[in-house]
Short mmCIF file of all heavy atoms in Angstrom, two decimals:
data_model
loop_
_atom_site.label_atom_id
_atom_site.label_comp_id
_atom_site.label_asym_id
_atom_site.label_seq_id
_atom_site.Cartn_x
_atom_site.Cartn_y
_atom_site.Cartn_z
N GLY P 258 250.51 52.14 132.72
CA GLY P 258 249.83 52.64 131.54
C GLY P 258 250.86 52.98 130.46
O GLY P 258 251.91 53.47 130.74
N ALA P 259 250.48 52.69 129.16
CA ALA P 259 251.40 52.98 128.16
C ALA P 259 250.90 53.79 126.95
O ALA P 259 249.68 53.86 126.84
CB ALA P 259 251.99 51.62 127.54
N GLY P 260 251.78 54.47 126.28
CA GLY P 260 251.40 55.35 125.23
C GLY P 260 250.87 54.75 124.05
O GLY P 260 250.23 55.34 123.20
N GLU P 261 251.02 53.45 123.83
CA GLU P 261 250.60 52.70 122.66
C GLU P 261 249.25 52.11 122.96
O GLU P 261 248.80 51.18 122.23
CB GLU P 261 251.56 51.58 122.32
CG GLU P 261 252.82 52.18 121.67
CD GLU P 261 253.78 52.83 122.69
OE1 GLU P 261 253.48 52.72 123.87
OE2 GLU P 261 254.77 53.43 122.21
N GLY P 262 248.48 52.55 123.95
CA GLY P 262 247.11 52.07 124.27
C GLY P 262 247.18 50.76 125.11
O GLY P 262 246.15 49.99 125.06
N GLU P 263 248.24 50.44 125.70
CA GLU P 263 248.41 49.16 126.44
C GLU P 263 248.50 49.48 127.96
O GLU P 263 248.89 50.55 128.38
CB GLU P 263 249.67 48.44 126.03
CG GLU P 263 249.63 47.85 124.62
CD GLU P 263 250.73 46.97 124.28
OE1 GLU P 263 251.91 47.49 124.24
OE2 GLU P 263 250.53 45.79 124.09
N ILE P 264 248.16 48.42 128.70
CA ILE P 264 248.44 48.39 130.15
C ILE P 264 249.23 47.14 130.40
O ILE P 264 248.99 46.03 129.84
CB ILE P 264 247.19 48.42 131.01
CG1 ILE P 264 247.55 48.33 132.52
CG2 ILE P 264 246.16 47.37 130.64
CD1 ILE P 264 246.41 48.59 133.50
N LEU P 265 250.27 47.34 131.22
CA LEU P 265 251.25 46.27 131.46
C LEU P 265 251.15 45.88 133.00
O LEU P 265 251.03 46.69 133.81
CB LEU P 265 252.67 46.72 131.27
CG LEU P 265 253.19 46.84 129.81
CD1 LEU P 265 252.40 47.89 128.95
CD2 LEU P 265 254.70 47.08 129.69
N ALA P 266 251.14 44.62 133.29
CA ALA P 266 251.40 44.07 134.59
C ALA P 266 252.72 43.37 134.61
O ALA P 266 252.87 42.27 133.92
CB ALA P 266 250.25 43.24 135.00
N LEU P 267 253.68 43.81 135.42
CA LEU P 267 254.92 43.24 135.54
C LEU P 267 255.07 42.67 136.94
O LEU P 267 254.46 43.06 137.91
CB LEU P 267 256.11 44.21 135.36
CG LEU P 267 255.98 45.12 134.08
CD1 LEU P 267 257.24 46.03 134.07
CD2 LEU P 267 255.92 44.29 132.85
N ASP P 268 255.99 41.56 137.06
CA ASP P 268 256.31 41.02 138.28
C ASP P 268 257.18 42.03 139.09
O ASP P 268 258.27 42.45 138.49
CB ASP P 268 257.16 39.74 138.08
CG ASP P 268 257.39 38.93 139.40
OD1 ASP P 268 257.96 39.53 140.33
OD2 ASP P 268 257.05 37.77 139.51
N ALA P 269 256.73 42.39 140.21
CA ALA P 269 257.50 43.49 140.97
C ALA P 269 258.89 43.13 141.46
O ALA P 269 259.73 43.92 141.67
CB ALA P 269 256.68 44.05 142.13
N ASP P 270 259.08 41.86 141.49
CA ASP P 270 260.42 41.25 141.94
C ASP P 270 261.49 41.33 140.89
O ASP P 270 262.60 41.55 141.21
CB ASP P 270 260.25 39.80 142.45
CG ASP P 270 259.53 39.75 143.78
OD1 ASP P 270 259.48 40.83 144.47
OD2 ASP P 270 258.89 38.73 144.03
N ASP P 271 261.13 41.15 139.59
CA ASP P 271 262.12 41.05 138.58
C ASP P 271 261.77 41.78 137.29
O ASP P 271 262.62 41.89 136.44
CB ASP P 271 262.49 39.56 138.29
CG ASP P 271 261.27 38.74 137.69
OD1 ASP P 271 260.29 39.50 137.33
OD2 ASP P 271 261.32 37.57 137.72
N GLY P 272 260.56 42.37 137.19
CA GLY P 272 260.24 43.15 136.07
C GLY P 272 259.74 42.37 134.82
O GLY P 272 259.52 42.92 133.79
N SER P 273 259.63 41.06 134.99
CA SER P 273 259.13 40.24 133.84
C SER P 273 257.65 40.41 133.64
O SER P 273 256.87 40.80 134.51
CB SER P 273 259.40 38.81 134.08
OG SER P 273 258.71 38.36 135.33
N ASP P 274 257.17 40.30 132.46
CA ASP P 274 255.84 40.36 131.96
C ASP P 274 254.92 39.33 132.71
O ASP P 274 255.26 38.06 132.80
CB ASP P 274 255.58 40.17 130.58
CG ASP P 274 255.98 41.31 129.75
OD1 ASP P 274 256.06 42.43 130.30
OD2 ASP P 274 256.23 41.28 128.54
N VAL P 275 253.80 39.76 133.28
CA VAL P 275 252.84 38.79 133.85
C VAL P 275 251.61 38.75 132.82
O VAL P 275 251.11 37.71 132.42
CB VAL P 275 252.32 39.20 135.20
CG1 VAL P 275 251.25 38.29 135.74
CG2 VAL P 275 253.51 39.07 136.24
N TRP P 276 251.15 39.94 132.47
CA TRP P 276 250.13 40.10 131.41
C TRP P 276 250.34 41.47 130.78
O TRP P 276 250.84 42.39 131.34
CB TRP P 276 248.78 39.77 131.77
CG TRP P 276 248.16 40.50 132.96
CD1 TRP P 276 248.08 40.09 134.24
CD2 TRP P 276 247.50 41.80 132.83
NE1 TRP P 276 247.48 41.03 135.06
CE2 TRP P 276 247.05 42.09 134.21
CE3 TRP P 276 247.32 42.74 131.87
CZ2 TRP P 276 246.47 43.33 134.57
CZ3 TRP P 276 246.64 43.93 132.20
CH2 TRP P 276 246.28 44.20 133.47
N ARG P 277 249.76 41.56 129.54
CA ARG P 277 249.71 42.87 128.81
C ARG P 277 248.43 42.91 128.05
O ARG P 277 248.06 41.89 127.37
CB ARG P 277 250.95 42.91 127.87
CG ARG P 277 251.06 44.17 127.09
CD ARG P 277 252.30 44.13 126.16
NE ARG P 277 253.56 44.16 126.94
CZ ARG P 277 254.71 44.75 126.46
NH1 ARG P 277 254.66 45.39 125.30
NH2 ARG P 277 255.72 44.74 127.25
N ARG P 278 247.73 43.99 128.03
CA ARG P 278 246.48 44.13 127.28
C ARG P 278 246.43 45.44 126.50
O ARG P 278 246.82 46.45 126.98
CB ARG P 278 245.37 44.12 128.29
CG ARG P 278 243.95 44.15 127.54
CD ARG P 278 242.71 43.99 128.56
NE ARG P 278 241.61 44.11 127.90
CZ ARG P 278 240.96 43.09 127.24
NH1 ARG P 278 241.49 41.90 127.34
NH2 ARG P 278 239.80 43.30 126.67
N SER P 279 246.00 45.34 125.21
CA SER P 279 245.85 46.51 124.39
C SER P 279 244.35 47.01 124.50
O SER P 279 243.40 46.26 124.54
CB SER P 279 246.09 46.14 122.99
OG SER P 279 245.83 47.26 122.12
N LEU P 280 244.28 48.37 124.79
CA LEU P 280 242.96 48.92 124.98
C LEU P 280 242.60 49.95 123.88
O LEU P 280 241.76 50.79 124.03
CB LEU P 280 242.91 49.70 126.36
CG LEU P 280 243.13 48.78 127.54
CD1 LEU P 280 243.22 49.60 128.78
CD2 LEU P 280 242.07 47.74 127.66
N GLY P 281 243.35 49.89 122.74
CA GLY P 281 243.17 50.85 121.70
C GLY P 281 244.26 51.79 121.52
O GLY P 281 244.99 52.06 122.50
N ALA P 282 244.32 52.48 120.39
CA ALA P 282 245.44 53.46 120.12
C ALA P 282 245.42 54.54 121.12
O ALA P 282 244.35 55.00 121.49
CB ALA P 282 245.39 53.96 118.64
N GLY P 283 246.66 55.17 121.36
CA GLY P 283 246.69 56.31 122.19
C GLY P 283 247.24 56.02 123.54
O GLY P 283 247.53 54.86 123.88
N PHE P 284 247.39 57.08 124.46
CA PHE P 284 247.90 56.91 125.74
C PHE P 284 246.86 56.39 126.73
O PHE P 284 245.76 56.82 126.84
CB PHE P 284 248.45 58.26 126.29
CG PHE P 284 249.02 58.14 127.68
CD1 PHE P 284 250.16 57.39 127.93
CD2 PHE P 284 248.39 58.88 128.62
CE1 PHE P 284 250.66 57.38 129.20
CE2 PHE P 284 248.88 58.84 129.98
CZ PHE P 284 250.03 58.08 130.28
N VAL P 285 247.30 55.27 127.50
CA VAL P 285 246.48 54.88 128.65
C VAL P 285 247.06 55.50 129.89
O VAL P 285 248.24 55.35 130.09
CB VAL P 285 246.56 53.26 128.71
CG1 VAL P 285 245.94 52.82 130.04
CG2 VAL P 285 245.86 52.71 127.55
N GLY P 286 246.21 56.13 130.62
CA GLY P 286 246.66 56.76 131.89
C GLY P 286 247.03 55.90 133.03
O GLY P 286 246.88 54.62 132.98
N SER P 287 247.52 56.47 134.11
CA SER P 287 247.98 55.66 135.30
C SER P 287 246.69 55.20 136.00
O SER P 287 245.50 55.74 135.83
CB SER P 287 248.65 56.63 136.29
OG SER P 287 249.89 57.01 135.55
N VAL P 288 246.76 54.14 136.75
CA VAL P 288 245.67 53.29 137.19
C VAL P 288 245.49 53.42 138.72
O VAL P 288 246.32 53.88 139.44
CB VAL P 288 245.86 51.84 136.79
CG1 VAL P 288 246.15 51.75 135.21
CG2 VAL P 288 246.97 51.19 137.54
N ALA P 289 244.26 52.90 139.10
CA ALA P 289 244.09 52.58 140.53
C ALA P 289 243.73 51.13 140.69
O ALA P 289 243.34 50.51 139.71
CB ALA P 289 242.96 53.41 141.17
N VAL P 290 244.06 50.46 141.82
CA VAL P 290 243.84 49.06 142.05
C VAL P 290 243.17 48.88 143.40
O VAL P 290 243.54 49.41 144.40
CB VAL P 290 245.17 48.27 142.02
CG1 VAL P 290 244.88 46.76 142.03
CG2 VAL P 290 246.02 48.56 140.82
#
Side-chain angles (χ1 to χ4, degrees):
E261 287 74 8
E263 290 187 296
I264 178 171
L265 286 62
L267 309 181
D268 188 305
D270 287 336
D271 60 18
S273 60
D274 283 342
V275 176
W276 56 261
R277 180 181 294 212
R278 182 176 178 86
S279 177
L280 300 174
F284 176 66
V285 172
S287 297
V288 309
V290 187

